[in-house]
Amino acid sequence: MEKDTILKFNSSIARKKPNNVHQKKPCPFCVTEGLSDILETRDSIILVKNKYPVIEDAFQTVLIETDDCESELSEYSKPHLYKLIRFGVEKWLEIEEQGRYQSVAFFKNHGPLSGGSVRHPHMQIIGFDNVDYRDNLSDDSFDGHEIHSSNGVHLNLSTHPRIGFTEFNIALDDLEKIDQAADYIQKTVHYVVNHFNGRGCSSYNLFFYHWSGKIFTKIVPRYATTPLYVGYGFRQVFSNPHQLIEDVQNRYF
């Protein structure tokens, strides 16, 4: 049963946050010498405490993906892609295993409609003191029409999207196969940015979940949220999902 979870958002801190997605402002992640509270680095990948912790009762970090401000996940070389996903999942699970938090979220915003405020490629890992994101999940959260599978890793088009229309799910049950999951993530993001709906989509979210002994990833193209969901909670899916599935298969597999 879903649980009504309300997080407290500190607007006073939010007003101080840099925003170069919607405004022309300097990038806070490009000058690494100015970064404080660095937790760990791996080549150009840097994990830092979030300087602007807008969510109360939470431990908030930022994972800076690369030193190339204009790059994007779909463009990374395979070595860098694999290193990034391995590092991010490793740090996420490490924080989870500390047992200090009710749950730990790992996600990425990209583009003006994703909810992010900084263009520089980054992800976030947040440990919540009092809420568990899994309270609002069920097994059908990751059900879908299969697009492709390889080495025990599965990519599908969701039949039960969290908001609506189109969400892609990747299921991984063996961390030894994480590079295969990373390949699926990159291919799906590339499709979303360049080909989705015939013209590509400027924004997306990427979410990781630890559920039923597996690691799931959900990729969500972002547009203005449908009013049927905002007002009534009605989720929608495309009436012709196999057309989209065939398009992805023909382009990448």
Side-chain angles (χ1 to χ4, degrees):
M1 184 174 69
E2 289 198 359
K3 190 174 181 179
D4 188 16
T5 300
I6 304 293
L7 298 175
K8 291 184 179 179
F9 182 89
N10 191 314
S11 59
S12 298
I13 294 177
R15 283 194 290 269
K16 302 173 186 177
K17 288 178 63 177
N19 187 328
N20 66 357
V21 169
H22 302 282
Q23 305 169 22
K24 291 186 177 179
K25 295 284 183 70
C27 176
F29 299 154
C30 279
V31 184
T32 56
E33 294 81 3
L35 295 175
S36 58
D37 291 319
I38 294 176
L39 301 173
E40 193 167 337
T41 64
R42 192 163 298 176
D43 296 329
S44 63
I45 304 167
I46 306 174
L47 181 67
V48 300
K49 285 186 180 179
N50 194 324
K51 190 175 180 179
Y52 302 94
V54 295
I55 305 298
E56 295 186 1
D57 301 317
F59 172 67
Q60 297 167 69
T61 70
V62 175
L63 179 61
I64 302 170
E65 300 174 24
T66 173
D67 55 9
D68 185 349
C69 190
E70 298 303 317
S71 189
E72 194 273 320
L73 193 148
S74 68
E75 302 172 350
Y76 296 158
S77 68
K78 293 298 184 185
H80 187 78
L81 171 72
Y82 298 155
K83 187 187 305 177
L84 171 67
I85 299 301
R86 288 176 195 152
F87 181 74
V89 169
E90 175 187 317
K91 297 300 117 183
W92 168 47
L93 295 179
E94 278 183 9
I95 295 172
E96 184 181 80
E97 288 164 4
Q98 291 174 4
R100 296 174 56 188
Y101 306 102
Q102 192 79 0
S103 65
V104 184
F106 178 28
F107 64 98
K108 173 180 174 63
N109 306 321
H110 172 81
L113 296 177
S114 69
S117 58
V118 176
R119 166 63 181 84
H120 195 118
H122 68 284
M123 300 181 184
Q124 296 182 58
I125 303 175
I126 300 179
F128 296 106
D129 293 345
N130 305 312
V131 298
D132 192 337
Y133 72 79
R134 291 161 294 203
D135 287 339
N136 294 323
L137 294 180
S138 59
D139 288 336
D140 67 9
S141 299
F142 308 106
D143 287 345
H145 303 291
E146 183 168 293
I147 298 173
H148 199 263
S149 63
S150 180
N151 295 325
V153 185
H154 303 272
L155 167 65
N156 72 39
L157 176 66
S158 181
T159 51
H160 295 78
R162 295 194 59 77
I163 295 179
F165 294 118
T166 304
E167 296 175 7
F168 301 90
N169 300 313
I170 296 162
L172 170 70
D173 59 13
D174 181 357
L175 283 175
E176 294 296 319
K177 307 295 177 59
I178 194 170
D179 290 351
Q180 178 64 59
D183 280 332
Y184 279 159
I185 290 170
Q186 186 173 59
K187 284 181 169 65
T188 304
V189 167
H190 188 274
Y191 180 80
V192 168
V193 171
N194 294 282
H195 305 295
F196 181 71
N197 211 20
R199 58 184 178 274
C201 180
S202 68
S203 305
Y204 66 85
N205 290 118
L206 175 65
F207 302 100
F208 291 84
Y209 307 85
H210 201 181
W211 176 257
S212 295
K214 297 182 180 181
I215 302 297
F216 290 95
T217 309
K218 187 179 285 287
I219 297 114
V220 185
R222 292 298 305 274
Y223 291 92
T225 306
T226 166
L228 291 178
Y229 181 80
V230 174
Y232 307 107
F234 293 154
R235 298 178 290 172
Q236 301 172 75
V237 295
F238 287 150
S239 59
N240 55 343
H242 296 290
Q243 182 177 330
L244 187 151
I245 291 169
E246 289 174 5
D247 190 33
V248 175
Q249 291 170 334
N250 290 336
R251 291 180 186 276
Y252 299 98
F253 304 108

